[in-house]
Amino acid sequence: MKFKTVFVCQKCGYEAPKWSGQCPECGEWNTLAEEVKQQESKKPQRTRSFTDFSSEIIKLSDSRSVPETRIPTGIGEFDRLLGGGLVKGQITLLAGAPGIGKSTLMLQVAAALSKTLKVLYISGEESISQISGRAQRLGVGSENIYLHCETDIQKIVESVEQVAPDVLVLDSIQTVYHPEFTSSAGTVGQVRECASELVRLCKPKGIITFVLGHVTKDGELAGPKVLEHMVDSVLYFDTEKDNVLRLLRPHKNRFGSTGEIGLFKMTGSGLEGVENASEYFAQTSKERALKGRAYSLALEGSRPLLTEVQALVSPTHYPYPRRVTTGVDLNRCLMLFAALEKHIGLPLDNKDIFVSLAGGVKLKDPALDLAVCAAVISSCKEIPIAHDSLFMAEVGILGQAAKVPLLDRRLEEARRLGFKKAYTAALSRTEKRNLKDLTVLELADLNDLALKLR
Ligand code: TYD
Ligand code: MG
């Protein structure tokens, strides 16, 4: 048997015959790692594609789709982000930082599914006694969950064939290896081969498969991007580990939208769905006016989340004033600070500015723009903002306020949460109807905001 040495980029999977400092494909530095590979000709003949679809050529109009029956897990937040439940043969990649709760969630999902389905839980990370210890802690025990600690993908394939499960969990893809490849587990080649082996096995059998994966410290999946192409859904845990709240966000979903999020909190007995998230996002007292705090309602999918923007503007002691943001995009905020300086003459050039979202989440909704501006003005000019006011509008570089999508849903939620005043961009006549006890203050631009805040 002949072997050859190749250098594989751990980021994109590019193969080069020689080592170099920078990957010629994706441009990343220090990502080429040596891997030993069998010569192509000596390799056993295997199909190279990871799906086995083959059909006649037909017109789209003549084709018929079979409605997919959803299999709900019974864990409300999890079903919501999957679009109602799982589909037979669905392969899901669950990724997140170590310790965020992937194994915990998976054991809970496995337990919920095992009420009606046969589950095989394969772990390459923990021993049987560790898993059963966790199961006891979570209060789950089921006849229908089979455990297997294994890291050799060929043995895993054998055990899948032996047990014939309806649901398969693999914890985690970085720990399994393919014995035909000499590189160590977790390298691009191994991750890619093991994942495609699994897809080839589970897809035709209609096994619902969950593959767990770690992310690198930049928040990217450790392993090649090709992993994301192979699976049907990719779910990421998108919060810091130290937070009580864990946000699960779909990055890809072949059977539904990617707009929904799942909110969980880590408790002593596992992850618990959070239906009413407002209490986690609003930290400060809701009773009184505060300087530097502005509320907003950000939309995540169809779900309005009450968000508390906090800003601190203080004189700087450095030649270059500091701008620090947590939870909101720094570049977006820099643009807003520039707009505030230019259009309303806010003296920010000799001030440090800190902006943060309470609750430790990262949000991108443009509706937060106006809340960031209001909080900065409030902190800079020492104007307290009332506890029952809310700010929702996008702010452009010219300082003008623009309407955000689904405003009526946000206003409805604001009213439900007991807010009395909502600052928005100008509304159309139809949107002004039925606002009842919520006063809407329409703003044209930042000047308007500065005037009305006073
Ligand atoms: P884990 O699911 O092992 O994380 P991952 O698989 O993503 O690495 O668990 C994450 C953390 O959650 C762990 O450090 C302990 C904590 N935890 C609880 O707080 N309560 C619980 O009921 C469980 C099972 C874990
Ligand atoms: Mg784990």
Side-chain angles (χ1 to χ4, degrees):
M1 211 180 287
K2 264 186 154 181
F3 290 97
K4 76 171 181 186
T5 306
V6 287
F7 294 86
V8 183
C9 172
Q10 301 300 302
K11 184 117 185 184
C12 69
Y14 176 80
E15 276 183 22
K18 270 192 191 156
W19 188 84
S20 61
Q22 188 183 22
C23 170
E25 182 76 13
C26 66
E28 275 297 314
W29 288 91
N30 293 325
T31 52
L32 291 193
E34 185 175 356
E35 286 185 18
V36 183
K37 218 173 120 167
Q38 272 177 43
Q39 287 283 32
E40 277 308 318
S41 56
K42 298 283 180 203
K43 261 187 164 177
Q45 282 295 311
R46 287 192 288 133
T47 45
R48 298 310 307 158
S49 164
F50 42 81
T51 51
D52 287 327
F53 298 130
S54 173
S55 81
E56 311 272 301
I57 301 170
I58 60 166
K59 283 191 191 159
L60 176 61
S61 52
D62 297 338
S63 65
R64 209 147 271 141
S65 88
V66 189
E68 275 132 1
T69 38
R70 298 275 177 174
I71 304 162
T73 61
I75 300 176
E77 290 293 306
F78 196 64
D79 288 342
R80 176 214 296 268
L81 86 157
L82 287 170
L86 294 151
V87 173
K88 255 189 131 201
Q90 179 167 0
I91 300 184
T92 306
L93 177 66
L94 176 67
I100 193 99
K102 299 181 293 297
S103 307
T104 307
L105 177 67
M106 238 36 264
L107 200 56
Q108 287 179 276
V109 169
L113 287 171
S114 73
K115 288 184 187 133
T116 50
L117 302 168
K118 196 190 215 181
V119 183
L120 175 60
Y121 191 106
I122 293 172
S123 180
E125 303 218 332
E126 288 153 314
S127 66
I128 298 269
S129 83
Q130 276 174 314
I131 302 170
S132 70
R134 173 178 298 133
Q136 265 174 15
R137 222 171 125 184
L138 298 175
V140 299
S142 169
E143 290 283 295
N144 238 350
I145 303 182
Y146 294 78
L147 296 181
H148 187 192
C149 292
E150 183 56 73
T151 49
D152 180 340
I153 191 75
Q154 291 186 336
K155 296 216 177 102
I156 292 173
V157 171
E158 279 168 26
S159 68
V160 171
E161 268 154 9
Q162 187 192 332
V163 176
D166 304 303
V167 181
L168 175 72
V169 178
L170 176 65
D171 185 4
S172 67
I173 190 71
Q174 276 91 12
T175 55
V176 291
Y177 70 96
H178 199 302
E180 268 179 33
F181 293 79
T182 47
S183 51
S184 50
T187 52
V188 168
Q190 287 287 9
V191 166
R192 188 175 47 202
E193 276 313 307
C194 294
S196 57
E197 196 76 45
L198 215 60
V199 174
R200 270 196 295 267
L201 173 75
C202 297
K203 255 280 139 156
K205 291 188 199 289
I207 302 175
I208 296 171
T209 309
F210 293 98
V211 179
L212 275 58
H214 297 289
V215 292
T216 59
K217 57 180 185 304
D218 320 329
E220 283 208 31
L221 195 74
K225 272 275 170 216
V226 68
L227 203 55
E228 295 188 7
H229 298 297
M230 284 183 206
V231 299
D232 298 312
S233 326
V234 181
L235 307 176
Y236 270 89
F237 267 113
D238 201 12
T239 21
E240 304 295 328
K241 195 174 81 195
D242 313 324
N243 271 332
V244 187
L245 208 67
R246 307 284 155 99
L247 200 141
L248 194 57
R249 202 189 286 275
H251 275 225
K252 165 181 170 176
N253 191 0
R254 281 192 188 144
F255 303 112
S257 85
T258 52
E260 298 296 338
I261 55 162
L263 281 172
F264 298 90
K265 65 175 179 197
M266 188 53 100
T267 67
S269 52
L271 287 162
E272 213 173 84
V274 175
E275 289 288 331
N276 189 1
S278 297
E279 56 184 295
Y280 294 94
F281 293 97
Q283 282 180 337
T284 50
S285 154
K286 283 217 204 96
E287 303 304 310
R288 57 196 186 88
L290 279 184
K291 291 173 200 161
R293 176 200 61 191
Y295 288 115
S296 186
L297 270 170
L299 270 195
E300 277 288 344
S302 59
R303 182 182 219 182
L305 290 181
L306 177 64
T307 314
E308 180 181 318
V309 179
Q310 300 171 351
L312 174 66
V313 181
S314 66
T316 188
H317 301 292
Y318 301 99
Y320 297 104
R322 306 225 298 150
R323 271 89 174 96
V324 182
T325 63
T326 20
V328 272
D329 183 41
L330 176 64
N331 286 328
R332 182 91 203 161
C333 284
L334 290 177
M335 186 279 280
L336 294 173
F337 302 157
L340 285 168
E341 283 194 283
K342 176 90 182 167
H343 301 295
I344 64 167
L346 206 63
L348 297 174
D349 56 342
N350 52 359
K351 306 268 178 29
D352 288 335
I353 311 175
F354 303 89
V355 176
S356 101
L357 288 193
V361 283
K362 295 179 202 131
L363 295 173
K364 275 205 174 132
D365 193 321
L368 295 178
D369 288 359
L370 195 66
V372 171
C373 293
V376 169
I377 297 174
S378 158
S379 177
C380 184
K381 294 195 170 177
E382 309 256 334
I383 308 167
I385 298 179
H387 66 281
D388 53 5
S389 296
L390 188 83
F391 301 82
M392 294 178 293
E394 186 173 348
V395 177
I397 36 180
L398 303 181
Q400 78 287 15
K403 221 165 55 179
V404 285
L406 300 174
L407 191 67
D408 38 352
R409 189 176 297 168
R410 298 182 207 237
L411 289 172
E412 185 51 47
E413 177 71 4
R415 213 173 52 79
R416 198 185 66 78
L417 291 171
F419 283 94
K420 294 279 178 288
K421 243 193 235 177
Y423 293 77
T424 68
L427 301 184
S428 65
R429 201 173 287 163
T430 49
E431 285 164 323
K432 280 184 200 162
R433 277 180 320 182
N434 60 38
L435 290 172
K436 293 175 198 149
D437 42 352
L438 180 74
T439 314
V440 177
L441 290 151
E442 295 172 59
L443 308 173
D445 50 27
L446 287 177
N447 263 316
D448 239 4
L449 173 69
L451 283 175
K452 287 190 176 141
L453 263 191
R454 237 186 271 145

